[in-house]
Structures are given as C-alpha cells and as structure tokens.
Amino acid sequence: MFTPQRGSGKLARKAMPPDATASPAQAERTAFTGRDLRKIYVTGETEVHALRGVDFDIRKGEILVLLGPSGSGKSTLLNIVGGLDRATSGSLHYEDTELSALDDADLTRFRRAQIGFIFQFYNLIPSLTAEENVRLVTDIADDPMDPGEALALVGLAERRHHYPAQLSGGEQQRVAVARAIAKQPGVLLCDEPTGALDSQTGVRVLETLEAANRELDTTLLIITHNAGIAAMADRVFHFLDGTIARIETNERRISPAEISW
Amino acid sequence: MKALDLKLVRDLWRMRGQALAIAIVLAAASATFILSMGVHRSLYETREAYYAQNNFGDVFSSMTRAPRSVVDEVAQIEGVQQAQGSILQYAILDFPDRSEAVRALLQSVDERGRDRLDRVTLKAGRMPMPGQPGEVVADEAFALANEVGPGDEFDAIIYGRMQRLRVVGIGLAPNYVNALAPGDIVPDDTRFGVFWMGEEALEAATDRTEAINALSVKLQRGASEADVIRAIDRILAPYGGAGAYTREDHPSHAFLESELDQLEAMVQVIPPIFLIVSTFLVYVVLGRMIRTQRSLIGLLKAFGYSGLAIAWHYLKFALAIALLATALGAAAGIWMGRAMTELYGEYYHFPFLRFHFAPGVFLSAGALAMGSAALGAVSGVWSAARLTPAVAMSPPPPPVYRAGFVERVGEKAGFTAIGHMIVRHIARWPTRSAMTVGGVGLSIALLFATLSFIDSSNYMLSSYFFRSQQQDLSVTFTEARNEDVLFELAQMPGVLRVEPVRALPVEMSHANRVERTALEAIAPDAMLSARIDQDGNLIAMPPGGLMLSRQLASQLGVRPGDNVRVKMLGGRRTEAMLPVGAMVDEFIGARAYASQDTLDTLARDSAPVGAALLLIDPAHRDDILAALKAMPVVLSIGDRDLEMARFQEMIDGNINTMIIFYIAFASAIAVGVVYNGARILFSERAHELATLRVLGYHRREVAVVLIGEIALLVAISVPVGLLMGYALAQFMLHMFGSDLFRLPFAPADATYAKAALVVLAAAMLTAVTVARRVMRLDMVRVLKARE
Ligand SMILES: Nc1ncnc2c1ncn2[C@@H]1O[C@H](COP(=O)(O)OP(=O)(O)OP(=O)(O)O)[C@@H](O)[C@H]1O
Ligand SMILES: [Mg+2]
C-alpha cells in the first residue's frame, strides 16, 4: 500500500556497475575527486566562505578522518560529498559521474544507491522500531542486506523490536549504523558519530564502521573532534578556515580498540 | 508594547496561515449567525412594526353574507377591542394583450377613511373617493410587475359583470404581505394582485348593500382568543360563517411565520457546526504551539512571569483569532444578510424592508466566537500555566509508540516502513486524529445535508406535480357551482376529461389537537383527483373514512384506525366522527380527502363544485385556454406545466446561491481542518522528513508521509461524514418543515458522491499545498538541530 517507488534511476544503473571491469585502475581506485570546491553562504549582507577552494582525491575503500576546529568546513564538505548540499563553484566527481551537474532527483538517486549517513544525533524515526528504521533503507535499496542481518552486525539482533525511546544513546547510534550499512553503500559518511557517546560505546560504533570498510570495501569518511580516532584512518584531512591545510597519511591503521580516547 | 505582547504579535504573524484558516471557519460561524439572526430580526421587527402601524387584526372570519350590523355585535364580545367588516371578491381583469388570465382580489375599504384595522399604506396616489365607483388602489407588487400606475384604466369582470376600473393609487396592507392566488403555491405578481376598492362601490358591484363577507377583529390585551372565536362563530353561524381563526391560520401571516421559523432553525443548526470545528482547531493548534514553546514557557517562568500571565498570553492568541473572525464574519454576514433581505423583499411585500444592524446580534456573534475559541484554548492554556520551570526546561518525555491492531493486519498486507510511520503517528495522537476526522466529516455532513435539501425540494416538486396533479389544467370558479358547469367544460373540443373538485372547509380534531383544512371529495371513478402513492399505485379510498396527508395526520397525531372529529365550517356546521382509513404522502399543504358520499353526507347535500380538473389534447391547448378565459364563471386557470416551471425557477434561483454559499462553507471547514492538521504534521515531522530525504527518499516519496496520513484520515472521514450528514439532513428537514409543507428525505445517489468529492478535493488540494513545503525542506539545517 505504501511501497515507495524503487529507485532505479539512470545514475544507479549507468554509473555504478557492480564490477566496472572496463575501467582502468585509476577509476577503480578513486571514489571522489574534488577540484577547487567553494561554498559561500550568503545571509543578508554577510557572506560566509565555508569552503575556500579545496582539492582532493578520495580513494575507494580508504578510511579518511576529517579533523579541524569548529567552523572550519568539515560538515560542509561532507554534506556536499554526500549530495545533501551543493558547492557554490568547483567540480566534484564520484567515479565517472559529475555530482556538481546532477539535479535534485539524480542526487537523491545517488544518495539512495551509494551513500550511508551517520550523524552525531542519531536521527532515528521515533515511531519505528529498530528493525523498521533499518527497513526504511532496505525498502528502497537495490541490493540490501536483510534488516535483521544488519542489526546483528551491530550486535542488536535481540533489540530489533524496540523503539528508539527504549534504546540507549549508543544503541541508537548502532541502529543508525545498521541503517547506514544495510544497503551495502559504496560510501559511509559519518559526522561526529561518536560525539554523543562515551569511549566504550564509541569504540563499538567505530569497530562496526571499520568492519563495514573491511568486509564491504566501503569508503569511510569520519568527521571527529577526537584526534585519537585519526589513528584508525588511512589518511587524515586537516581543515583550517575552509581549506584542507594538510593531508596526513598513516603508515599503519590501528584498530578502534587500540585508540587512546 | 510589552515584550510578551510583541511575541504574541510575532507568533500570530508566523502562524498567520493557520490563524487565518481558523479565523475563516470561525468567521463562517459568525457570518451564518449574523445572517440568520439579522434577517430574522429584520423580518420580525419589520413585520411587527408594520402590523402595529397598520393595525393588523388578530382574529378573522369569512362568511357567505352577513348584514353589516354583525360588526357591532362582534364588537360587543368581551375581549374584542375593535371589529371591522369588509367585502372580499375575486375578479378577472381584462388585459387584452395578455394570453393568461389576470386575476384580482378586491378588498373593500371605507371611502371616508374610517377604517381602523388592516389599513392600507399608500405608496402613490390616493385612496378611492366616495361617489367614484371605479376607483381602486393597486397593490404595489402587482403594480410594479405589470407596470400599472395611477391613471391607468382597465375592464374587470366582477360578480359576473363587466366594470371599468381606474387605478388612483398604489398601496399595500399587512394582511397581504404574502398574497397567493387561489389554487397557487407560488406567488405570481404578474397574474394576481390585490386591489382596494371603495366599500360602497364594491357593495354595489356585488349586490351586497349593507352586507359583508369578511371580518377582521382586534382583541384587547389579555383576551382569550378561543372564547372570542367561539362567540364570533356563534354570531356568524346563521350567515354561513366559515369559522373564525387567528393569525396563525391567516395565510399571509402563516407564510411569514414559517419563514421566521426556518430562520430560527438555521441559527440553531448551522453556526454551531462551525463553532465546534473552530473550537477543535484552536485546541489542536494552540496545543501544538504550547508544546513547542515548552522550554520558553519554563524560561519565562524562571524570569518571574506568573502562571496567570502565561495563561493570559496564550489565551490572547485564541482571542485575537476570534476577534479577527468576528470582523470577517460581520462583514460577510452583513453582505449576505443584505442580499437575503433583498430576496425576501421580492416575496414579501412590506412598505420597507432593510437588513437590521442590531448591535446585540453582533455582540452575540462576537461572544460566541470568543467563547468557542477560549473553550478550545482551555486545555492548552491550563497546561502552560501549570508547567513548572524545571519540568518545562527539560525536554518532554519521548513519545511512546506502539504497534496497534491495524498494523498487525498491515504487517501481513505488506506495510512498508513509511506505512508504519503513518499509522503509528495517527495512533499516537488519537484525539487530534479523531478531531480531524470529525472536522472533515462535519464539512461533508454539512454539504450532504444542504445538497440533500435540494434533492428533497426536487422530490417534493415532482411528487406534487407528477403524482398529486394528474390534470393538465385546473379551473377555479368565481363562485361554487353545480354540475352543469362540468358538462359545459366537457363540451369544449379537445377536452378529454373533466372532474369536479368539491371541497368543504372543515375543522378536524383529535384529542386536544385542532386543525383547519379543506376536505376534498374523491369520486369513485376519479382519475385526475385520485390519490397515488409513492410507487405510482392508486390508493383506495376507504369507504366512509378519511384519507389524510401524512403531514395532517402527524399534526393531529393520528394513525390509520384512529377516529377524527370532523366539523364542517360554514354551511350546516354538521359534525361527524370519521375513521382514518388511509394516508397519502403529500408534501405541500395538510390536506384531507373523503369519498364523495362521505362528503355529501357531511354536507347533507351535494357538495358544491369549486373547481374542475381537465385533461386536454395538447393540440387544442390555446383554443381551450382562450375559451376558458372568456367564460365569466372562470376565476383562474392553473396550468400545471407552467406552474411547475415557475416553481422550479423559484427554487433554482434561491438554491443556486445557497449551494455556492454552502460549498464555500463546507470547503472552508475542510480547508481549515486539513491545513492546520497538515501544518502541525509538517512541523512535527520536519526532522523525520529530512532524515528520509538524507536516506535517499525522493521528495514525492517523502510527501507521501505527509499526504498519506491526511489522506487516510480524510478517507475515514468520508463514511463518518456521510453518516453524520444523514442524521443532520433529517434533523434539518425536520426543523425546516412547517404546517405549509413537509420536505421528504430523499437524497439522490449523486449527492453522496458530490458531498464527498467536493470535500475530498478541497482537503487534498490543501494537503498538497502544505506538502509543497517538503520541496523546500533544507535537509542540512533540519538535521543540525536536535529534535
Ligand atoms: N546554512 C548556513 N548558513 C550560513 N553559514 C553557514 C551555514 N552552514 C554553515 N555555515 C558556516 O560555514 C562555516 C563552516 O561550517 P561547518 O558546519 O562546515 O563547520 P564544521 O567544520 O563542521 O564545524 P563543527 O566542528 O563545529 O561542526 C561555519 O562558519 C558556519 O558558521
Ligand atoms: Mg560539523
């Protein structure tokens, strides 16, 4: 009765073949390419330059941590990369698709097919149980996991019939993670996923994210204020005043359990 | 302005759409209240002033012929203040260029201006003068309709003799506020009018020197009507007195009275519907507003504002809406009231009729609006006043959701997560959901009731003209005739069948109920005058018994098998107890029938022929009409098809305006309810909707959450509304029916569909308008805020 239309937009079919054998190694490896991305917020008289021309390449399957002071443009970039917002100028590609050229409907299809989001506040639907919150995504995804399986991955199989109000903050965040990974997304975008959690719970959430990266080869972007988390990344983008001031490459990723909180 | 008041103004402005939607529904309450109360007052007060100014009588009687001296005798009766005798005579006017007969009722007036009762108000010219036999005053409506004025002359057949009449004045009188030609059910000023003629002149014209046939009596304050009537009947008995009656049975007054009753009924039925819906809207909107401003209320209290100050602050929000509504409603009410009063002016003849601006009516309307807004505000305001700062500033407890019965069914039917969201939200707010269903349902009910009113009129009409009236033409004679006239009519080429109409004025009583009516005879071989039931079958005339219209039966409180006392008014004044043998569904008039034998027995004579029913060959129609018009004994010719067309025209004219009003009113309710429901829904769920967008749902899929919930509620309200409409329609028909007619409840199939579709359309258009906000939803901004 309420079945939403299944997304099978041209982007979902055309630009994201499950095994792009025709693509050279370059395309295999690069998820996002950003060139001279700028974002200017105009509110009345004042202009806020949230991004002042950033360039980056994000490799498929890497874990990237975004660090930087408050207001330096991390969320802005994440939202643009995830197709929630648009850059004022510059170009942004996901694989072969130019995101900066897509209209709203195509951006939506892109999100639906490729992106999983996790926010500091879990943004669960309070009227839906844990499992149903996951089903929100599996209902419309092309090749989703079983919702129960996704919940099992975050260790909440037993709590599937509980409503968000009956779950702790950490559990809620894990439901949000299950919801994000259930569609087996190409990219997981996490804006301060552990910001509202204690260290132990935070570690659990990060472990789940890392597992997704390892098992599904999901590209992982994590914004955090916790510099310790940077150690689990392949690379770290250091933001400063709307620019990526420095890119740091870790020789070795450590597991979340080893993070000094 | 104080800071808190500034906040009030800003809140009102921010929520202007919702405030306006409530104000419009509330304004509809004020408007309909002011309209019906205002028109009622205008009509009532105008009538009372007119009656007082022109000294309209209290008790009336007609008789065959009485010496003028009976007037003094009647004046001596205890309780009688004044009595006045006059002559009433039907006449045929000769307007050569008119194909249809133009008829007049001549009413005598004293040429020397000594009349005290039922006085004429002159609009132009003067009254007839002594020694000028042909002078008449024409009634204003007739004069306007036929462009007749002082100085105009025409011939008239009065009492079988041709006489020249000369119009010397234009006037009107309180006993003819509404004047119907005999046999008509709709006034027609072009074909019928009242003329006032000098008493001496009319005496001479009708061979009634020093004699009268009508009496009007003014009672002293506190006099017993019943006693006076009995005394008058006794005095007039030897002169063929037809039974005295009060204003309630005076045709002109009775018509006005039924109109006033209907207006009063309207006040009781229509505005309350709008008031109920507005109360609910205020309840929902203010309740939501106070919930969202919870922490702010806590802050204000922490600053030292008292609970009373907070309560007053939110109450003012509701009262401001009511104030706006009263202003809007007053403007609309005055406008509609003027239009309606003007319409009344066409049907009722008053020297002046203006819409009355009674301050009391406006104050009452305002008080009602304030009252229902305040009532709706009570629970929200109370909770705001009671909140303690500490509780207020902590976030509200998370809402508790549960999977209900519907969902366990839905689970099997393959509900999506979105489906669950919709159903659980409805269940989470049961009061509000029920109120939405009730509100939209009421708008369907209102529309259904109004539209079925029209169905009823049409049903009544077709029943009256096609079932009760089998003849093509009905011919009313100037005086009661014997059977010879029937043969004369039957001789006319093209006349296929002639049947007499014989009727006796009677008074029927059962227990303590008394009704005056005409008892009509139905001959055994009757075809045209035979009564037919709703399925088109002939109703057998019970031998020796009565057949009553359902209306009359209910007025008398009798059922088949009961005995009714029938007293002949006039003539031999015989009495008999007759059993009710059958009922007939008739919607106009309260009539009674008996077999011709029964009637003859009652009259102790062959009942006179007052009219005849004709079935004709349509090819001869014009010839027959011309021949009838030339017959001096023919007073009037009723042409069924023509009358039906006129009636239909009258109904259509009034009803189209009414339909437009009520479609607007019903839509206003639906729009008000749905708009507020959708706005609240949207504000409550903005966060969730943004989340869905982030998860990759398209705008239209997200809009489903919003529209789906409303659509579900509106869908539920359709059967609920039709059920309420069913009850409301019958209640309204009951309230609006009168002694003069009864409206059958006979909704057309299309009425169900129309009522539902209009409201559905209004509701869904509104929902879609609000859903367009989904398009402008800023995902990022919404997600930044913690819900
Ligand atoms: N909708 C908006 N309108 C105006 N300015 C905005 C808007 N959103 C963000 N900004 C500004 O853009 C700049 C970058 O904001 P952004 O949210 O990207 O910062 P951030 O690095 O995520 O900070 P934080 O660590 O505090 O979350 C800030 O100065 C912010 O004030
Ligand atoms: Mg941020």
Side-chain angles (χ1 to χ4, degrees), chain A residues 118 154 172-182 188 205 208-209:
Chain A
I118 294 155
V154 298
Q172 288 187 54
Q173 189 63 304
R174 275 148 66 201
V175 174
V177 172
R179 187 174 68 180
I181 61 176
L188 266 174
V205 167
T208 322
L209 292 175

Side-chain angles (χ1 to χ4, degrees), chain A residues 34-52:
Chain A
R35 291 291 173 267
D36 196 24
L37 282 180
R38 290 170 189 275
K39 179 71 184 178
I40 304 171
Y41 291 108
V42 184
T43 17
E45 300 283 282
T46 57
E47 285 189 352
V48 178
H49 292 254
L51 292 177
R52 301 173 184 268

Side-chain angles (χ1 to χ4, degrees), chain B residues 12-89:
Chain B
L12 276 167
W13 179 247
R14 188 169 50 81
M15 300 179 65
R16 59 191 175 277
Q18 287 171 265
L20 192 68
I22 301 174
I24 285 171
V25 177
L26 204 45
S30 302
T32 48
F33 181 82
I34 289 171
L35 165 72
S36 27
M37 277 295 269
V39 173
H40 183 276
R41 282 248 186 138
S42 307
L43 212 53
Y44 181 80
E45 278 167 21
T46 303
R47 184 187 78 175
E48 292 307 295
Y50 187 33
Y51 281 0
Q53 209 159 31
N54 296 44
N55 220 7
F56 182 43
D58 296 314
V59 173
F60 312 86
S61 183
S62 65
M63 64 229 83
T64 324
R65 179 196 184 99
R68 196 162 272 285
S69 57
V70 297
V71 176
D72 291 332
E73 231 178 297
V74 167
Q76 298 304 314
I77 298 171
E78 193 185 314
V80 170
Q81 192 187 70
Q82 269 174 328
Q84 180 172 302
S86 61
I87 300 172
L88 282 178
Q89 176 67 46

Side-chain angles (χ1 to χ4, degrees), chain B residues 755-769:
Chain B
L757 286 178
V758 166
V759 173
L760 279 179
M764 286 334 283
L765 264 172
T766 311
V768 168
T769 309

Side-chain angles (χ1 to χ4, degrees), chain A residues 57-135:
Chain A
D57 294 286
I58 298 171
R59 288 193 285 275
K60 242 178 143 25
E62 76 171 324
I63 296 180
L64 198 65
V65 163
L66 281 57
L67 282 177
S70 187
S72 56
K74 306 181 293 293
S75 296
T76 304
L77 183 73
L78 199 79
N79 291 340
I80 291 173
V81 162
L84 293 184
D85 206 351
R86 283 163 193 291
T88 312
S89 68
S91 79
L92 176 65
H93 283 78
Y94 179 75
E95 298 180 346
D96 291 335
T97 311
E98 186 174 357
L99 295 182
S100 36
L102 295 184
D103 64 11
D104 181 78
D106 281 333
L107 272 183
T108 305
R109 271 180 217 115
F110 163 68
R111 282 202 303 279
R112 179 183 287 208
Q114 299 297 335
I115 307 291
F117 277 102
I118 294 155
F119 297 96
Q120 177 177 6
F121 305 117
Y122 330 112
N123 292 322
L124 297 180
I125 307 289
S127 59
L128 296 182
T129 61
E131 182 180 295
E132 287 160 349
N133 262 286
V134 178
R135 266 181 52 199

Side-chain angles (χ1 to χ4, degrees), chain B residues 538-785:
Chain B
L538 215 74
I539 306 175
M541 192 66 232
L546 295 169
M547 185 194 304
L548 299 185
S549 74
R550 209 167 286 283
Q551 168 92 345
L552 183 60
S554 82
Q555 283 169 22
L556 285 170
V558 294
R559 275 181 297 184
D562 290 346
N563 279 316
V564 173
R565 178 178 301 280
V566 180
K567 188 167 95 184
M568 233 184 105
L569 295 166
R572 293 178 208 269
R573 312 190 73 81
T574 44
E575 271 190 45
M577 288 295 283
L578 295 175
V580 178
M583 304 269 250
V584 53
D585 271 301
E586 286 183 338
F587 307 111
I588 297 178
R591 314 211 284 181
Y593 307 89
S595 73
Q596 186 153 349
D597 286 346
T598 311
L599 217 67
D600 289 349
T601 315
L602 198 64
R604 306 257 168 80
D605 200 348
S606 184
V609 178
L613 305 178
L614 270 57
L615 199 66
I616 61 164
D617 176 354
H620 289 82
R621 180 185 209 89
D622 292 344
D623 297 341
I624 293 172
L625 285 173
L628 288 172
K629 201 183 155 198
M631 285 173 70
V633 297
V634 171
L635 170 64
S636 70
I637 305 158
D639 184 326
R640 188 188 68 166
D641 295 346
L642 205 73
E643 263 181 55
M644 186 163 76
R646 260 190 305 130
F647 203 123
Q648 189 73 57
E649 200 178 305
M650 180 183 87
I651 289 190
D652 289 349
N654 297 352
I655 273 177
N656 284 338
T657 332
M658 190 166 111
I659 290 181
I660 292 168
F661 277 152
Y662 279 97
I663 284 185
F665 283 146
S667 307
I669 293 184
V671 168
V673 170
V674 170
Y675 183 76
N676 276 305
R679 283 303 298 270
I680 287 174
L681 195 57
F682 182 77
S683 83
E684 274 174 358
R685 306 205 101 166
H687 199 85
E688 296 175 25
L689 300 183
T691 303
L692 289 178
R693 290 281 289 131
V694 169
L695 294 179
Y697 279 81
H698 287 284
R699 293 183 198 278
R700 58 174 189 284
E701 292 166 338
V702 171
V704 163
V705 178
L706 206 66
I707 293 183
E709 177 167 337
I710 294 165
L712 196 61
L713 291 176
V714 169
I716 296 170
S717 63
V718 169
V720 172
L722 289 176
L723 227 59
M724 290 195 290
Y726 211 78
L728 182 67
Q730 297 192 48
F731 180 65
M732 271 167 70
L733 292 174
H734 171 75
M735 297 281 284
F736 280 66
S738 69
D739 287 0
L740 304 177
F741 66 91
R742 182 170 72 86
L743 285 169
F745 179 56
D749 290 344
T751 296
Y752 293 91
K754 281 186 206 158
L757 286 178
V758 166
V759 173
L760 279 179
M764 286 334 283
L765 264 172
T766 311
V768 168
T769 309
V770 176
R772 290 177 68 89
R773 286 172 177 265
V774 170
M775 303 296 165
R776 281 178 271 140
L777 201 62
D778 181 344
M779 289 175 272
V780 180
R781 193 194 312 244
V782 173
L783 289 178
K784 263 187 200 164

